[in-house]
Amino acid sequence: MPRITINQDLCNKCNSCVEVCPAEIFASNKEDIPIFMDSIADEFCISCGHCVAICPKNAINHKNFQEGQVTPIKKELIPSSDQIKEILRSIRSIREFKDKPVEKELIEKIIDVARFAPSATNFQTTEYVVVQNKEVLTKIINLTYSYLAKMSKLLHNQIVSSLIRIVLPKNAKEIISYRQKFDRYVKAYKLGKDKILYNAPVLILFHADKKTPFADVNANLALHNAYVYCWSLGLGSFYTGFVVQASHYNTEIKRLVSISTSNKIYGGLAIGYPKVKYNKWVERKKPRIKWV
Ligand SMILES: Cc1cc2nc3c(=O)[nH]c(=O)nc-3n(C[C@H](O)[C@H](O)[C@H](O)COP(=O)(O)O)c2cc1C
Ligand code: SF4
Ligand code: SF4
């Protein structure tokens, strides 16, 4: 079966498929039905679905987009630009959670939206681990604290801090200042406080094969979709950067959640029902823009 066929009876020769295909698999045929290069389709088509999504006559049959895989957009559900702007300014990292589990159906919905994020060459590389087991969450917290304690110890070492000053003179002050931050986390741990996941009942880890180009970016774009969608569901979430860093330092975190050694954790999102609700948004730094 060829990858793509154009139904000659349906095609209105609008050439939209020629315009949108990033792989240039369709070629304009003057006033006639576009030509598509079947010989290169298998090698170059990235299955982005732009052709089937743009075709006004449903004339394109793509073997990766069969019945039920192309859905008309419900225009009445698309928010205005003002609404989107207000949403994006309002969403905050939530670190205060109710002692209430998040329903499995909601977590499934969140991941279902995350997967629609853009990905390099449409590879859709991101994989997900949902951690809800309290014992596993506690182990992840402990391993992350232990990573922070080691980093703090390292930065307190005179030889290490001198080396940082020589190798990274511009950033040395900032890097070394992290030891105070790490110390505060270690102190919190000793007091029994969870400043790693803030008692969130769910942690989603976004991981992928570490050899795939842009796997890190893809994972974090998916994570941001999830972050925004969580808010729309009345859930709160925040990015668990320390867990991600700790997982790069100590493979035990990956082992705990059965992530293979060929994969790397690129993002973590702690999720729960928020205890707090913000009624104002606050300013950010003005953007540093260069117009060229
Ligand atoms: C990290 C990254 C790099 C990308 N680089 C390119 C690029 O160089 N050229 C391009 O045409 N599209 C690029 N894209 C867009 C992807 O091809 C696109 O996201 C994917 O095909 C899915 O299509 P969609 O974004 O329209 O849903 C990139 C996307 C990501 C996330
Ligand atoms: S799926 Fe994307 S890359 Fe493949 S033919 Fe259609 S538009 Fe081109
Ligand atoms: S987009 Fe559809 S209708 Fe338009 S030229 Fe391509 S196949 Fe024909």
PDB file of all heavy atoms in Angstrom, residues 86-113:
ATOM      1  N   GLU A  86      -4.251  35.705  29.428  1.00  0.00           N
ATOM      2  CA  GLU A  86      -4.581  35.750  30.858  1.00  0.00           C
ATOM      3  C   GLU A  86      -4.240  34.416  31.538  1.00  0.00           C
ATOM      4  O   GLU A  86      -3.723  34.386  32.650  1.00  0.00           O
ATOM      5  CB  GLU A  86      -6.070  36.098  31.032  1.00  0.00           C
ATOM      6  CG  GLU A  86      -6.437  36.654  32.391  1.00  0.00           C
ATOM      7  CD  GLU A  86      -5.762  37.985  32.737  1.00  0.00           C
ATOM      8  OE1 GLU A  86      -5.026  38.540  31.907  1.00  0.00           O
ATOM      9  OE2 GLU A  86      -5.966  38.445  33.878  1.00  0.00           O
ATOM     10  N   ILE A  87      -4.509  33.327  30.825  1.00  0.00           N
ATOM     11  CA  ILE A  87      -4.197  31.996  31.378  1.00  0.00           C
ATOM     12  C   ILE A  87      -2.689  31.880  31.594  1.00  0.00           C
ATOM     13  O   ILE A  87      -2.223  31.517  32.673  1.00  0.00           O
ATOM     14  CB  ILE A  87      -4.694  30.872  30.424  1.00  0.00           C
ATOM     15  CG1 ILE A  87      -6.222  30.803  30.418  1.00  0.00           C
ATOM     16  CG2 ILE A  87      -4.101  29.517  30.815  1.00  0.00           C
ATOM     17  CD1 ILE A  87      -6.804  29.955  29.291  1.00  0.00           C
ATOM     18  N   LEU A  88      -1.904  32.239  30.564  1.00  0.00           N
ATOM     19  CA  LEU A  88      -0.453  32.040  30.651  1.00  0.00           C
ATOM     20  C   LEU A  88       0.195  32.953  31.687  1.00  0.00           C
ATOM     21  O   LEU A  88       1.234  32.623  32.246  1.00  0.00           O
ATOM     22  CB  LEU A  88       0.201  32.223  29.271  1.00  0.00           C
ATOM     23  CG  LEU A  88      -0.201  31.158  28.242  1.00  0.00           C
ATOM     24  CD1 LEU A  88       0.409  31.462  26.887  1.00  0.00           C
ATOM     25  CD2 LEU A  88       0.211  29.754  28.695  1.00  0.00           C
ATOM     26  N   ARG A  89      -0.443  34.115  31.957  1.00  0.00           N
ATOM     27  CA  ARG A  89       0.105  34.991  33.001  1.00  0.00           C
ATOM     28  C   ARG A  89      -0.319  34.529  34.391  1.00  0.00           C
ATOM     29  O   ARG A  89       0.309  34.868  35.384  1.00  0.00           O
ATOM     30  CB  ARG A  89      -0.386  36.435  32.792  1.00  0.00           C
ATOM     31  CG  ARG A  89       0.233  37.114  31.593  1.00  0.00           C
ATOM     32  CD  ARG A  89      -0.016  38.599  31.578  1.00  0.00           C
ATOM     33  NE  ARG A  89      -1.424  38.963  31.544  1.00  0.00           N
ATOM     34  CZ  ARG A  89      -1.876  40.109  31.050  1.00  0.00           C
ATOM     35  NH1 ARG A  89      -1.027  40.991  30.548  1.00  0.00           N
ATOM     36  NH2 ARG A  89      -3.157  40.395  31.070  1.00  0.00           N
ATOM     37  N   SER A  90      -1.420  33.794  34.450  1.00  0.00           N
ATOM     38  CA  SER A  90      -1.996  33.438  35.762  1.00  0.00           C
ATOM     39  C   SER A  90      -1.437  32.150  36.346  1.00  0.00           C
ATOM     40  O   SER A  90      -1.416  31.983  37.559  1.00  0.00           O
ATOM     41  CB  SER A  90      -3.509  33.254  35.645  1.00  0.00           C
ATOM     42  OG  SER A  90      -4.089  34.351  35.022  1.00  0.00           O
ATOM     43  N   ILE A  91      -1.039  31.221  35.490  1.00  0.00           N
ATOM     44  CA  ILE A  91      -0.618  29.908  36.006  1.00  0.00           C
ATOM     45  C   ILE A  91       0.664  30.059  36.808  1.00  0.00           C
ATOM     46  O   ILE A  91       1.607  30.696  36.362  1.00  0.00           O
ATOM     47  CB  ILE A  91      -0.382  28.906  34.851  1.00  0.00           C
ATOM     48  CG1 ILE A  91      -1.646  28.772  34.014  1.00  0.00           C
ATOM     49  CG2 ILE A  91       0.031  27.542  35.393  1.00  0.00           C
ATOM     50  CD1 ILE A  91      -1.480  27.881  32.813  1.00  0.00           C
ATOM     51  N   ARG A  92       0.684  29.496  37.996  1.00  0.00           N
ATOM     52  CA  ARG A  92       1.877  29.550  38.848  1.00  0.00           C
ATOM     53  C   ARG A  92       2.291  28.149  39.277  1.00  0.00           C
ATOM     54  O   ARG A  92       1.482  27.220  39.258  1.00  0.00           O
ATOM     55  CB  ARG A  92       1.593  30.386  40.122  1.00  0.00           C
ATOM     56  CG  ARG A  92       1.082  31.789  39.898  1.00  0.00           C
ATOM     57  CD  ARG A  92       1.948  32.618  38.978  1.00  0.00           C
ATOM     58  NE  ARG A  92       3.331  32.741  39.360  1.00  0.00           N
ATOM     59  CZ  ARG A  92       3.841  33.738  40.092  1.00  0.00           C
ATOM     60  NH1 ARG A  92       3.068  34.704  40.513  1.00  0.00           N
ATOM     61  NH2 ARG A  92       5.127  33.771  40.383  1.00  0.00           N
ATOM     62  N   SER A  93       3.553  28.035  39.686  1.00  0.00           N
ATOM     63  CA  SER A  93       4.017  26.780  40.273  1.00  0.00           C
ATOM     64  C   SER A  93       3.329  26.629  41.622  1.00  0.00           C
ATOM     65  O   SER A  93       3.416  27.523  42.467  1.00  0.00           O
ATOM     66  CB  SER A  93       5.529  26.826  40.489  1.00  0.00           C
ATOM     67  OG  SER A  93       6.171  26.970  39.254  1.00  0.00           O
ATOM     68  N   ILE A  94       2.653  25.521  41.794  1.00  0.00           N
ATOM     69  CA  ILE A  94       1.931  25.276  43.055  1.00  0.00           C
ATOM     70  C   ILE A  94       2.738  24.294  43.899  1.00  0.00           C
ATOM     71  O   ILE A  94       3.143  23.232  43.410  1.00  0.00           O
ATOM     72  CB  ILE A  94       0.515  24.710  42.761  1.00  0.00           C
ATOM     73  CG1 ILE A  94      -0.323  25.738  41.983  1.00  0.00           C
ATOM     74  CG2 ILE A  94      -0.190  24.263  44.042  1.00  0.00           C
ATOM     75  CD1 ILE A  94      -0.654  27.019  42.707  1.00  0.00           C
ATOM     76  N   ARG A  95       2.978  24.672  45.149  1.00  0.00           N
ATOM     77  CA  ARG A  95       3.762  23.812  46.053  1.00  0.00           C
ATOM     78  C   ARG A  95       3.010  23.523  47.349  1.00  0.00           C
ATOM     79  O   ARG A  95       3.597  23.079  48.320  1.00  0.00           O
ATOM     80  CB  ARG A  95       5.105  24.472  46.378  1.00  0.00           C
ATOM     81  CG  ARG A  95       5.951  24.813  45.169  1.00  0.00           C
ATOM     82  CD  ARG A  95       7.290  25.398  45.561  1.00  0.00           C
ATOM     83  NE  ARG A  95       7.986  25.942  44.419  1.00  0.00           N
ATOM     84  CZ  ARG A  95       7.812  27.166  43.923  1.00  0.00           C
ATOM     85  NH1 ARG A  95       6.942  27.988  44.489  1.00  0.00           N
ATOM     86  NH2 ARG A  95       8.496  27.578  42.877  1.00  0.00           N
ATOM     87  N   GLU A  96       1.720  23.820  47.346  1.00  0.00           N
ATOM     88  CA  GLU A  96       0.905  23.551  48.542  1.00  0.00           C
ATOM     89  C   GLU A  96      -0.245  22.659  48.093  1.00  0.00           C
ATOM     90  O   GLU A  96      -1.118  23.105  47.343  1.00  0.00           O
ATOM     91  CB  GLU A  96       0.345  24.853  49.148  1.00  0.00           C
ATOM     92  CG  GLU A  96       1.395  25.869  49.573  1.00  0.00           C
ATOM     93  CD  GLU A  96       1.979  26.647  48.398  1.00  0.00           C
ATOM     94  OE1 GLU A  96       1.328  26.713  47.340  1.00  0.00           O
ATOM     95  OE2 GLU A  96       3.095  27.163  48.534  1.00  0.00           O
ATOM     96  N   PHE A  97      -0.198  21.413  48.535  1.00  0.00           N
ATOM     97  CA  PHE A  97      -1.176  20.449  48.024  1.00  0.00           C
ATOM     98  C   PHE A  97      -2.077  19.907  49.132  1.00  0.00           C
ATOM     99  O   PHE A  97      -1.634  19.717  50.270  1.00  0.00           O
ATOM    100  CB  PHE A  97      -0.451  19.278  47.355  1.00  0.00           C
ATOM    101  CG  PHE A  97       0.383  19.701  46.178  1.00  0.00           C
ATOM    102  CD1 PHE A  97       1.766  19.786  46.280  1.00  0.00           C
ATOM    103  CD2 PHE A  97      -0.218  20.038  44.974  1.00  0.00           C
ATOM    104  CE1 PHE A  97       2.540  20.192  45.201  1.00  0.00           C
ATOM    105  CE2 PHE A  97       0.545  20.443  43.888  1.00  0.00           C
ATOM    106  CZ  PHE A  97       1.925  20.521  44.002  1.00  0.00           C
ATOM    107  N   LYS A  98      -3.317  19.637  48.747  1.00  0.00           N
ATOM    108  CA  LYS A  98      -4.239  18.980  49.679  1.00  0.00           C
ATOM    109  C   LYS A  98      -3.828  17.518  49.810  1.00  0.00           C
ATOM    110  O   LYS A  98      -3.245  16.953  48.875  1.00  0.00           O
ATOM    111  CB  LYS A  98      -5.669  19.044  49.124  1.00  0.00           C
ATOM    112  CG  LYS A  98      -6.267  20.430  49.176  1.00  0.00           C
ATOM    113  CD  LYS A  98      -7.695  20.395  48.660  1.00  0.00           C
ATOM    114  CE  LYS A  98      -8.259  21.803  48.612  1.00  0.00           C
ATOM    115  NZ  LYS A  98      -9.413  21.920  47.721  1.00  0.00           N
ATOM    116  N   ASP A  99      -4.186  16.935  50.927  1.00  0.00           N
ATOM    117  CA  ASP A  99      -3.907  15.515  51.130  1.00  0.00           C
ATOM    118  C   ASP A  99      -5.013  14.718  50.423  1.00  0.00           C
ATOM    119  O   ASP A  99      -5.909  14.164  51.060  1.00  0.00           O
ATOM    120  CB  ASP A  99      -3.870  15.229  52.642  1.00  0.00           C
ATOM    121  CG  ASP A  99      -3.430  13.805  52.920  1.00  0.00           C
ATOM    122  OD1 ASP A  99      -2.923  13.151  51.981  1.00  0.00           O
ATOM    123  OD2 ASP A  99      -3.614  13.341  54.058  1.00  0.00           O
ATOM    124  N   LYS A 100      -4.950  14.744  49.103  1.00  0.00           N
ATOM    125  CA  LYS A 100      -6.029  14.134  48.309  1.00  0.00           C
ATOM    126  C   LYS A 100      -5.410  13.540  47.046  1.00  0.00           C
ATOM    127  O   LYS A 100      -4.671  14.244  46.336  1.00  0.00           O
ATOM    128  CB  LYS A 100      -7.034  15.245  47.946  1.00  0.00           C
ATOM    129  CG  LYS A 100      -8.184  14.816  47.082  1.00  0.00           C
ATOM    130  CD  LYS A 100      -9.105  16.002  46.770  1.00  0.00           C
ATOM    131  CE  LYS A 100     -10.120  15.602  45.719  1.00  0.00           C
ATOM    132  NZ  LYS A 100     -10.954  16.695  45.267  1.00  0.00           N
ATOM    133  N   PRO A 101      -5.677  12.283  46.760  1.00  0.00           N
ATOM    134  CA  PRO A 101      -5.072  11.695  45.556  1.00  0.00           C
ATOM    135  C   PRO A 101      -5.665  12.289  44.274  1.00  0.00           C
ATOM    136  O   PRO A 101      -6.777  12.818  44.291  1.00  0.00           O
ATOM    137  CB  PRO A 101      -5.414  10.205  45.669  1.00  0.00           C
ATOM    138  CG  PRO A 101      -6.544  10.119  46.624  1.00  0.00           C
ATOM    139  CD  PRO A 101      -6.540  11.338  47.485  1.00  0.00           C
ATOM    140  N   VAL A 102      -4.904  12.210  43.193  1.00  0.00           N
ATOM    141  CA  VAL A 102      -5.407  12.678  41.892  1.00  0.00           C
ATOM    142  C   VAL A 102      -5.934  11.455  41.139  1.00  0.00           C
ATOM    143  O   VAL A 102      -5.258  10.421  41.056  1.00  0.00           O
ATOM    144  CB  VAL A 102      -4.286  13.372  41.080  1.00  0.00           C
ATOM    145  CG1 VAL A 102      -4.808  13.820  39.718  1.00  0.00           C
ATOM    146  CG2 VAL A 102      -3.724  14.567  41.853  1.00  0.00           C
ATOM    147  N   GLU A 103      -7.142  11.586  40.604  1.00  0.00           N
ATOM    148  CA  GLU A 103      -7.779  10.463  39.925  1.00  0.00           C
ATOM    149  C   GLU A 103      -6.965  10.021  38.706  1.00  0.00           C
ATOM    150  O   GLU A 103      -6.438  10.854  37.968  1.00  0.00           O
ATOM    151  CB  GLU A 103      -9.196  10.854  39.451  1.00  0.00           C
ATOM    152  CG  GLU A 103     -10.163  11.225  40.557  1.00  0.00           C
ATOM    153  CD  GLU A 103     -10.004  12.662  41.068  1.00  0.00           C
ATOM    154  OE1 GLU A 103      -9.010  13.318  40.707  1.00  0.00           O
ATOM    155  OE2 GLU A 103     -10.858  13.113  41.841  1.00  0.00           O
ATOM    156  N   LYS A 104      -6.913   8.699  38.505  1.00  0.00           N
ATOM    157  CA  LYS A 104      -6.155   8.131  37.381  1.00  0.00           C
ATOM    158  C   LYS A 104      -6.635   8.711  36.039  1.00  0.00           C
ATOM    159  O   LYS A 104      -5.827   9.004  35.154  1.00  0.00           O
ATOM    160  CB  LYS A 104      -6.329   6.603  37.391  1.00  0.00           C
ATOM    161  CG  LYS A 104      -5.459   5.905  36.381  1.00  0.00           C
ATOM    162  CD  LYS A 104      -5.465   4.404  36.564  1.00  0.00           C
ATOM    163  CE  LYS A 104      -4.510   3.785  35.550  1.00  0.00           C
ATOM    164  NZ  LYS A 104      -5.092   2.707  34.797  1.00  0.00           N
ATOM    165  N   GLU A 105      -7.965   8.897  35.908  1.00  0.00           N
ATOM    166  CA  GLU A 105      -8.502   9.412  34.629  1.00  0.00           C
ATOM    167  C   GLU A 105      -7.936  10.796  34.325  1.00  0.00           C
ATOM    168  O   GLU A 105      -7.701  11.133  33.166  1.00  0.00           O
ATOM    169  CB  GLU A 105     -10.043   9.524  34.659  1.00  0.00           C
ATOM    170  CG  GLU A 105     -10.798   8.265  35.027  1.00  0.00           C
ATOM    171  CD  GLU A 105     -10.789   8.019  36.525  1.00  0.00           C
ATOM    172  OE1 GLU A 105     -11.436   8.778  37.244  1.00  0.00           O
ATOM    173  OE2 GLU A 105     -10.115   7.068  36.976  1.00  0.00           O
ATOM    174  N   LEU A 106      -7.744  11.609  35.376  1.00  0.00           N
ATOM    175  CA  LEU A 106      -7.197  12.955  35.148  1.00  0.00           C
ATOM    176  C   LEU A 106      -5.742  12.865  34.701  1.00  0.00           C
ATOM    177  O   LEU A 106      -5.307  13.587  33.799  1.00  0.00           O
ATOM    178  CB  LEU A 106      -7.302  13.819  36.413  1.00  0.00           C
ATOM    179  CG  LEU A 106      -8.692  14.281  36.824  1.00  0.00           C
ATOM    180  CD1 LEU A 106      -8.608  15.342  37.919  1.00  0.00           C
ATOM    181  CD2 LEU A 106      -9.458  14.863  35.638  1.00  0.00           C
ATOM    182  N   ILE A 107      -4.993  11.963  35.314  1.00  0.00           N
ATOM    183  CA  ILE A 107      -3.574  11.824  34.939  1.00  0.00           C
ATOM    184  C   ILE A 107      -3.482  11.346  33.485  1.00  0.00           C
ATOM    185  O   ILE A 107      -2.658  11.829  32.705  1.00  0.00           O
ATOM    186  CB  ILE A 107      -2.843  10.853  35.900  1.00  0.00           C
ATOM    187  CG1 ILE A 107      -2.932  11.382  37.333  1.00  0.00           C
ATOM    188  CG2 ILE A 107      -1.385  10.686  35.486  1.00  0.00           C
ATOM    189  CD1 ILE A 107      -2.464  10.416  38.393  1.00  0.00           C
ATOM    190  N   GLU A 108      -4.379  10.444  33.122  1.00  0.00           N
ATOM    191  CA  GLU A 108      -4.387   9.966  31.725  1.00  0.00           C
ATOM    192  C   GLU A 108      -4.704  11.111  30.767  1.00  0.00           C
ATOM    193  O   GLU A 108      -4.109  11.231  29.696  1.00  0.00           O
ATOM    194  CB  GLU A 108      -5.409   8.834  31.566  1.00  0.00           C
ATOM    195  CG  GLU A 108      -4.873   7.510  32.088  1.00  0.00           C
ATOM    196  CD  GLU A 108      -5.921   6.420  32.194  1.00  0.00           C
ATOM    197  OE1 GLU A 108      -7.137   6.725  32.110  1.00  0.00           O
ATOM    198  OE2 GLU A 108      -5.527   5.266  32.387  1.00  0.00           O
ATOM    199  N   LYS A 109      -5.645  11.971  31.179  1.00  0.00           N
ATOM    200  CA  LYS A 109      -6.012  13.116  30.326  1.00  0.00           C
ATOM    201  C   LYS A 109      -4.820  14.063  30.173  1.00  0.00           C
ATOM    202  O   LYS A 109      -4.572  14.605  29.091  1.00  0.00           O
ATOM    203  CB  LYS A 109      -7.185  13.893  30.961  1.00  0.00           C
ATOM    204  CG  LYS A 109      -8.546  13.288  30.679  1.00  0.00           C
ATOM    205  CD  LYS A 109      -9.620  13.982  31.467  1.00  0.00           C
ATOM    206  CE  LYS A 109     -10.390  14.973  30.637  1.00  0.00           C
ATOM    207  NZ  LYS A 109     -11.614  15.441  31.300  1.00  0.00           N
ATOM    208  N   ILE A 110      -4.081  14.264  31.257  1.00  0.00           N
ATOM    209  CA  ILE A 110      -2.929  15.183  31.230  1.00  0.00           C
ATOM    210  C   ILE A 110      -1.876  14.661  30.241  1.00  0.00           C
ATOM    211  O   ILE A 110      -1.360  15.402  29.401  1.00  0.00           O
ATOM    212  CB  ILE A 110      -2.328  15.333  32.653  1.00  0.00           C
ATOM    213  CG1 ILE A 110      -3.309  16.070  33.561  1.00  0.00           C
ATOM    214  CG2 ILE A 110      -0.981  16.050  32.615  1.00  0.00           C
ATOM    215  CD1 ILE A 110      -3.032  15.913  35.046  1.00  0.00           C
ATOM    216  N   ILE A 111      -1.593  13.371  30.321  1.00  0.00           N
ATOM    217  CA  ILE A 111      -0.567  12.808  29.429  1.00  0.00           C
ATOM    218  C   ILE A 111      -1.071  12.800  27.989  1.00  0.00           C
ATOM    219  O   ILE A 111      -0.308  13.016  27.043  1.00  0.00           O
ATOM    220  CB  ILE A 111      -0.134  11.405  29.923  1.00  0.00           C
ATOM    221  CG1 ILE A 111       0.574  11.558  31.273  1.00  0.00           C
ATOM    222  CG2 ILE A 111       0.774  10.714  28.907  1.00  0.00           C
ATOM    223  CD1 ILE A 111       0.934  10.278  31.967  1.00  0.00           C
ATOM    224  N   ASP A 112      -2.370  12.625  27.841  1.00  0.00           N
ATOM    225  CA  ASP A 112      -2.943  12.634  26.491  1.00  0.00           C
ATOM    226  C   ASP A 112      -2.769  14.000  25.824  1.00  0.00           C
ATOM    227  O   ASP A 112      -2.632  14.091  24.606  1.00  0.00           O
ATOM    228  CB  ASP A 112      -4.429  12.259  26.567  1.00  0.00           C
ATOM    229  CG  ASP A 112      -4.982  11.973  25.189  1.00  0.00           C
ATOM    230  OD1 ASP A 112      -4.359  11.161  24.482  1.00  0.00           O
ATOM    231  OD2 ASP A 112      -5.989  12.586  24.806  1.00  0.00           O
ATOM    232  N   VAL A 113      -2.771  15.068  26.627  1.00  0.00           N
ATOM    233  CA  VAL A 113      -2.569  16.414  26.073  1.00  0.00           C
ATOM    234  C   VAL A 113      -1.069  16.698  25.911  1.00  0.00           C
ATOM    235  O   VAL A 113      -0.648  17.334  24.939  1.00  0.00           O
ATOM    236  CB  VAL A 113      -3.259  17.468  26.979  1.00  0.00           C
ATOM    237  CG1 VAL A 113      -2.800  18.868  26.636  1.00  0.00           C
ATOM    238  CG2 VAL A 113      -4.778  17.372  26.819  1.00  0.00           C
TER     239      VAL A 113
END
